[in-house]
Amino acid sequence: MRSIKIGTRNSPLALWQAREVARNLQNNNYKTDITPIISSGDKNLTQPLYTMGITGIFTKDLDIALLHKEVDIAVHSLKDIPTQLPENLEIIAVLKRDYPQDVLVRKSTSKNKELHELKIATSSLRRRAFWAKHYPETEFFDIRGNVQTRLQKLEDQEFDATLFSLAAIERMSLSIEYEFLPIMISAPAQGVVAVTARADDADIKEYFKDVDHRETRICIDIERNFLRTLEGGCTAPIGAFAEINEKDEVRFIGRLCSLDGKQSIEIDEIFTWNDQDNFGEILGQKVLEDGGRTLMQEIKLHLQ
């Protein structure tokens, strides 16, 4: 039996995710070998992602390694994977979603400040816009790097707090205080570990049939199709989160926001899932028809 070569970014969180995929494979008696690869997004930690003009900046180098057959699979945070994958690559499995939420982490000297008083460090357009929707006077700062790097910057620099994916904190077992934020809607597919492979590698796809988590797959397909329908290849402040119960009833919440947070179009629907309808596209079209098309055009102009 072949040993499955797993490509991953070399950050502590990415390596945790790769080991989790390896554990799932080893439980089915497959051999694994983890190969860290430095991504373009990890090489430049000063420039905000939205100014770099590259789709899939954290996945591009792993895509190349896959296509060159240097690795058999690549492991990613699914929210980093563009909705349009390179030719002959596909998402062959997703692990069960664990922690989809965004959380606020303050520096020790800012514990008593009100939310509207905080200086916030985040390079995410979504997090900035969603925060500004409620606290429009907020001063924002750019921050890049892995979880540990950003925590150190939080203590060393002049801002008061930053925003993290809860998955990053919990998966790293970090003992830090955080606050849940009802004002936020997660990035599409946040909190999900995904496996990509070459579409023509039938053996690898067979190995992962029992790893792919059905309920998570249904939800992230809805979220990513919603994103694809709205985006049209443009980075924008978009949130999407779907939950499904044992009766295949789905609750979906989505939001498209202007960059400054002043305009917001939201959707909150409950429906019964089936495998014929593209619910993400249907929901995305509703937002576009409710003013989202004009808003997306304005966002694209601002980001040019």
Side-chain angles (χ1 to χ4, degrees):
M1 182 185 296
R2 69 195 267 195
S3 178
I4 301 171
K5 200 165 188 178
I6 302 172
T8 175
R9 291 165 60 190
N10 67 343
S11 72
L13 178 59
L15 289 167
W16 180 95
Q17 294 173 168
R19 287 193 293 269
E20 189 67 8
V21 170
R23 184 183 64 79
N24 275 269
L25 289 168
Q26 290 160 9
N27 286 345
N28 291 328
N29 298 314
Y30 296 116
K31 296 179 180 179
T32 61
D33 174 32
I34 294 176
T35 302
I37 295 170
I38 299 176
S39 77
S40 302
D42 293 320
K43 294 170 188 173
N44 179 350
L45 296 180
T46 57
Q47 191 175 355
L49 292 177
Y50 58 85
T51 68
M52 295 176 77
I54 302 172
T55 302
I57 192 164
F58 289 123
T59 60
K60 182 179 177 183
D61 297 275
L62 286 167
D63 290 344
I64 292 169
L66 258 181
L67 291 169
H68 288 174
K69 299 187 177 181
E70 296 165 9
V71 295
D72 296 310
I73 62 170
V75 176
H76 303 281
S77 293
L78 183 48
K79 69 182 179 67
D80 293 335
I81 300 179
T83 54
Q84 185 66 47
L85 274 72
E87 188 175 349
N88 198 35
L89 294 187
E90 65 180 69
I91 297 167
I92 61 166
V94 293
L95 304 190
K96 183 178 180 180
R97 173 145 50 187
D98 48 14
Y99 304 101
Q101 303 94 334
D102 280 328
V103 292
L104 178 75
V105 176
R106 301 171 184 249
K107 72 191 316 173
S108 53
T109 55
S110 304
K111 298 294 184 186
N112 297 322
K113 285 190 176 183
E114 299 293 330
L115 292 178
H116 70 273
E117 298 175 310
L118 295 175
K119 296 178 180 180
I120 299 292
T122 176
S123 294
S124 162
L125 290 180
R126 175 185 59 86
R127 288 170 176 157
R128 285 188 179 212
F130 289 9
W131 185 276
K133 177 178 186 288
H134 294 270
Y135 308 110
E137 303 304 317
T138 299
E139 184 178 1
F140 291 103
F141 297 79
D142 286 315
I143 187 172
R144 291 282 314 283
N146 64 35
V147 177
Q148 291 79 359
T149 300
R150 281 183 284 162
L151 286 171
Q152 190 58 53
K153 288 180 178 179
L154 175 61
E155 288 304 320
D156 293 345
Q157 298 183 22
E158 60 181 297
F159 40 80
D160 299 309
T162 188
L163 300 164
F164 282 111
S165 164
L166 179 57
I169 294 173
E170 292 293 344
R171 289 172 186 167
M172 294 285 91
S173 300
L174 298 174
S175 55
I176 57 174
E177 293 183 19
Y178 55 78
E179 301 164 44
F180 286 102
L181 296 166
I183 65 173
M184 290 292 175
I185 298 176
S186 308
Q190 186 164 310
V192 178
V193 176
V195 179
T196 59
R198 294 180 295 278
D200 58 7
D201 193 337
D203 288 344
I204 285 290
K205 290 162 78 170
E206 184 67 27
Y207 299 162
F208 278 87
K209 276 189 174 178
D210 293 333
V211 175
D212 194 37
H213 188 258
R214 175 184 179 272
E215 290 80 3
T216 300
R217 169 72 77 160
I218 289 170
C219 291
I220 62 97
D221 282 349
I222 294 170
E223 294 165 23
R224 283 171 59 80
N225 285 330
F226 177 79
L227 174 65
R228 181 188 295 113
T229 303
L230 293 184
E231 252 188 348
C234 171
T235 300
I238 296 169
F241 181 66
E243 287 184 292
I244 189 167
N245 64 20
E246 65 278 357
K247 297 178 182 177
D248 280 355
E249 293 172 339
V250 175
R251 182 188 178 191
F252 176 86
I253 55 173
R255 177 188 294 164
L256 169 63
C257 218
S258 61
L259 296 172
D260 60 8
K262 292 179 180 177
Q263 299 177 68
S264 180
I265 302 167
E266 306 199 16
I267 191 166
D268 186 340
E269 294 202 5
I270 296 173
F271 52 89
T272 301
W273 178 83
N274 64 68
D275 60 4
Q276 282 84 45
D277 292 316
N278 186 333
F279 291 102
E281 182 178 355
I282 293 166
L283 294 160
Q285 287 295 339
K286 286 186 179 182
V287 170
L288 289 175
E289 291 162 10
D290 193 28
R293 191 166 283 107
T294 300
L295 187 50
M296 280 302 307
Q297 290 170 350
E298 292 173 0
I299 291 168
K300 288 177 184 179
L301 283 174
H302 275 99
L303 291 176
Q304 283 179 352

